[in-house]
């Protein structure tokens, strides 16, 4: 297999998060103006939404990336179509403004039926077989990656194939450059956005206000006969991954989890605290995040242009 689009974040430098802001965020919990009473935040906005690739945008980027590679490979005389990896299963209540729900499973209806498994997970095939039917020659590998060395993901290019010079990082590098403006550009989320996304989630989990909601949830679960420190422990119980479909025990735990989340307003508190941490992190990295937003907007414009070719 030469390439599977969508399985890695091609390119991407690593701008540093402002260390002073990181220290201040850890030392000074941001104020929360209001805490909503909600069971799910999947339909609620978060400050980082404008800076991260959305599910619909992810599909467009992957298709544009694959088409750009295909057009480049055609230039070398190869009728090659990269496979576009199907995204993992997403619940019907999954957010459309971000690729993850952040707060775990939030639908009591789905949890009662699917437990901690994704909706319809057992019947979903995640990969496309189109590329596996294509015969890949050594020259195609060089044209695609810029190197014939199997130990390297990419190479410097420069080889001559069918009278054409292979670009830096091959057609994959050329496609990344077309979409991002740089051969090492971030095809998806740049590292600073990922760092802030993960850091604020961790901070919101560790915040005393969220922990207090978790403690109420844990006591509620204990009354129902289940011992977990917090919702993350329940959802992440390794027992659930042993079966392709939810067991009766998993469904009982998940149903109790949903009821206790509601009673303790876990999502409402967690969402409000997370929102505040995101606002503070974005403000502390305003210039860098403005570039992230502008780059995403530019990338989407170019992607649409590529798909229109």
């Amino acid at each position: 297999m030469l390439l599977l689009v969508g399985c890695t974040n091609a390119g991407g430098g690593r701008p540093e998060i402002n260390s002073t802001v990181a220290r201040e965020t850890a030392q000074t919990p941001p104020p929360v103006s209001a805490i909503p009473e909600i069971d799910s935040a999947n339909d609620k906005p978060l400050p980082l939404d404008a800076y991260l690739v959305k599910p619909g945008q992810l599909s467009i980027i992957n298709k544009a990336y694959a088409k750009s590679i295909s057009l480049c490979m055609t230039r070398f005389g190869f009728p090659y179509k990269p496979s576009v990896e199907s995204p993992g299963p997403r619940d019907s209540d999954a957010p459309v403004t971000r690729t993850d729900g952040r707060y775990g499973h939030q639908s009591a209806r789905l949890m009662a039926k699917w437990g901690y498994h994704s909706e319809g997970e057992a019947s979903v095939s995640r990969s496309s077989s189109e590329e596996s039917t294509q015969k890949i020659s050594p020259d195609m590998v060089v044209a695609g990656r810029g190197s014939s060395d199997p130990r390297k993901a990419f190479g410097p290019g420069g080889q001559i194939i069918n009278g054409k010079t292979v670009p830096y990082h091959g057609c994959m590098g050329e496609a990344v450059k077309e979409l991002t403006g740089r051969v090492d550009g971030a095809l998806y989320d740049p590292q600073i956005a990922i760092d802030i996304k993960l850091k604020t989630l961790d901070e919101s989990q560790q915040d005393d206000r969220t922990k207090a909601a978790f403690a109420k949830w844990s006591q509620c679960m204990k009354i129902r006969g289940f011992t977990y420190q917090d919702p993350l422990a329940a959802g992440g119980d390794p027992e659930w991954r042993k079966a392709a479909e939810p067991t009766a025990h998993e469904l009982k735990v998940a149903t109790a989890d949903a009821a206790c989340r509601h009673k303790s307003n876990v999502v409402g508190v967690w969402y409000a605290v997370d929102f505040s941490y995101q606002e503070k992190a974005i403000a502390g990295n305003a210039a860098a995040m403005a570039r992230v937003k502008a780059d995403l907007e530019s990338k989407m414009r170019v992607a649409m242009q590529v798909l229109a070719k």
Side-chain angles (χ1 to χ4, degrees), residues 125-255:
S125 175
R126 295 195 58 185
S127 63
S128 167
S129 61
E130 180 180 2
E131 186 180 275
S132 63
T133 64
Q134 301 182 70
K135 294 182 178 180
I136 308 299
S137 69
D139 279 352
M140 289 176 71
V141 173
V142 173
R145 298 180 177 274
S147 173
S148 60
D149 189 340
R151 297 169 298 178
K152 297 180 179 179
F154 304 103
Q159 302 90 339
I160 304 298
I161 296 178
N162 293 334
K164 305 289 185 179
T165 302
V166 176
Y168 188 76
H169 284 190
C171 286
M172 294 173 68
E174 181 173 293
V176 171
K177 185 176 181 179
E178 180 174 25
L179 289 169
T180 70
R182 305 191 316 274
V183 72
D184 62 345
L187 193 59
Y188 306 111
D189 294 324
Q191 194 62 50
I192 187 170
I194 295 172
D195 286 347
I196 291 178
K197 170 185 172 180
L198 297 178
K199 181 174 177 59
T200 54
L201 180 60
D202 181 67
E203 288 171 333
S204 68
Q205 291 172 2
Q206 300 303 320
D207 188 278
D208 287 343
R209 293 162 291 192
T210 307
K211 284 185 173 181
F214 285 173
K216 293 178 182 178
W217 173 92
S218 182
Q219 183 60 33
C220 175
M221 290 290 283
K222 190 172 184 178
I223 292 173
R224 287 164 168 76
F226 306 111
T227 303
Y228 291 102
Q229 183 176 357
D230 53 45
L232 300 173
D237 191 326
E239 185 68 24
W240 317 144
R241 311 323 305 170
K242 294 179 181 179
E245 297 184 357
T247 61
H249 177 62
E250 178 182 342
L251 294 178
K252 289 180 181 179
V253 174
T255 299

Side-chain angles (χ1 to χ4, degrees), residues 97-128:
T97 60
R98 49 189 175 270
T99 57
D100 58 80
R102 288 182 76 84
Y103 316 117
H105 292 270
Q106 299 168 55
S107 169
R109 175 182 62 83
L110 293 179
M111 292 172 77
K113 182 177 181 179
W114 294 102
Y116 297 104
H117 285 66
S118 294
E119 187 177 6
E121 179 179 335
S123 62
V124 174
S125 175
R126 295 195 58 185
S127 63
S128 167

